[in-house]
Amino acid sequence: MVSEYEIKKQICEIGKRIYDRGMVASNDGNISVKLNDNEFLCTPTGVSKGFMTPEYICKVDAEGKVIQANPGFRPSSEIKMHMRVYKNRPDVQSVVHAHPMYATAFAIAGVPLTQPIMPEAVIALGCVPIAEYGTPSTEEIPDAVEKYLPYFDAVLLENHGALAFSDSLLNAYHKMESVEFYAKLLFLSNQLGGPKELSKSQVERLYEIRRQFGLPGKHPANLCPNAKAGLPSCHSCKGTCGATLNADSGATSDDLVAQITKKVMEQLGK
Ligand code: 13P
């Protein structure tokens, strides 16, 4: 079994990677790992995640309250966001939050990552929606993210950054890398006249591969709320899954169609 000290070292190593790869600036970003149902390790607030040593890492309970922290260190200001993911996704063992340049630019422009442009992104992520803006450190971000958790392993945070989670620290980090790579390719291919999207049948074959491999985590291809509602689904919904998920909040089907139409027209720039 891997020791707690070893996991702290791994968190520092991943912190260095996200910093060295420009996925965070300054003291930004945070990382957590689940030890058991009531013990979690997390990065401290207000330090560069590129220069941490194991002594920096804090331990919190399922409410985000400190169990152990060395003098001068307090848990991440975004610990509530991490805890909301663990609460809703028992399969998740690690959460990574960063501000990667391209993914964050999409989150700022309000453009979700929905176009099917390369096999790896389709298989690993499907689409990446944007959770509505919330003030950092408050319950607003956890509340905005929660509705996406049953369907996705990564979300963009509006005007803020990205959040990725998986069954191990390395896999959560890899999800974050995949989000950023997808966003960068989407941005660059748009500069080159616009991406040539994979066809519906090519995308279907990739989903089938994902099913055959039995890959862990949630993927909207199998679960997309729009598909369940008989609406345009993954890679054609232009990010309207958020509107579908809001339907639970009392909107009528006419409201829903109006919301989705508006969102699609916005995405099409009309
Ligand atoms: P912390 O240093 O408190 O984890 O916050 C960094 C950050 O990126 C907030 O969004």
Side-chain angles (χ1 to χ4, degrees), residues 11-266:
I11 293 175
C12 298
E13 168 63 27
I14 294 297
K16 183 166 159 38
R17 270 198 216 190
I18 60 171
Y19 183 77
D20 288 351
R21 297 201 58 157
M23 298 169 115
V24 287
S26 180
N27 295 340
D28 298 351
N30 28 71
I31 302 164
S32 66
V33 170
K34 180 176 179 175
L35 297 174
N36 57 55
D37 284 349
N38 202 40
E39 290 183 304
F40 302 80
L41 296 177
C42 71
T43 50
T45 186
V47 306
S48 170
K49 306 329 178 278
F51 300 93
M52 298 183 299
T53 57
E55 295 69 34
Y56 282 45
I57 307 301
C58 304
K59 194 196 271 193
V60 295
D61 67 13
E63 310 279 286
K65 301 219 169 65
V66 183
I67 296 176
Q68 194 274 323
N70 285 325
F73 296 105
R74 283 182 297 123
S76 167
S77 59
E78 299 286 18
I79 194 68
K80 295 186 192 94
M81 171 174 76
H82 290 241
M83 290 304 139
R84 193 68 69 89
V85 178
Y86 293 118
K87 189 167 173 218
N88 286 272
R89 289 282 303 273
D91 59 311
V92 166
Q93 294 294 325
S94 179
V95 178
V96 174
H97 165 53
H99 305 160
M101 185 79 72
Y102 289 86
T104 305
F106 277 82
I108 291 171
V111 181
L113 307 176
T114 60
Q115 290 176 272
I117 55 166
M118 65 166 322
E120 285 75 6
V122 170
I123 291 177
L125 299 163
C127 302
V128 185
I130 304 178
E132 295 71 13
Y133 180 77
T135 309
S137 84
T138 69
E139 295 287 349
E140 291 172 16
I141 299 181
D143 288 349
V145 161
E146 183 167 329
K147 67 176 181 233
Y148 296 97
L149 297 176
Y151 311 103
F152 300 90
D153 286 346
V155 289
L156 301 183
L157 308 175
E158 192 171 23
N159 287 84
H160 183 164
L163 185 66
F165 28 95
S166 193
D167 59 354
S168 71
L169 172 59
L170 190 60
N171 286 346
Y173 166 74
H174 279 156
K175 288 270 170 200
M176 183 61 77
E177 244 189 21
S178 299
V179 169
E180 177 61 352
F181 201 64
Y182 179 14
K184 192 169 182 178
L185 288 173
L186 200 48
F187 178 84
L188 291 174
S189 54
N190 270 303
Q191 305 305 298
L192 297 168
K196 192 167 128 328
E197 290 185 12
L198 298 173
S199 71
K200 214 164 175 258
S201 67
Q202 286 168 332
V203 169
E204 269 310 318
R205 285 181 67 192
L206 295 170
Y207 289 165
E208 190 47 40
I209 288 172
R210 184 183 160 92
R211 279 190 282 271
Q212 279 169 8
F213 283 10
L215 296 181
K218 303 288 183 190
H219 188 284
N222 303 332
L223 303 162
C224 172
N226 270 20
K228 284 185 186 161
L231 294 162
S233 63
C234 278
H235 304 299
S236 54
C237 81
K238 312 283 177 202
T240 58
C241 52
T244 320
L245 293 163
N246 276 335
D248 287 346
S249 59
T252 64
S253 58
D254 283 353
D255 292 341
L256 185 58
V257 169
Q259 277 179 43
I260 290 172
T261 308
K262 183 168 171 275
K263 192 93 195 235
V264 171
M265 295 309 273
E266 279 170 13

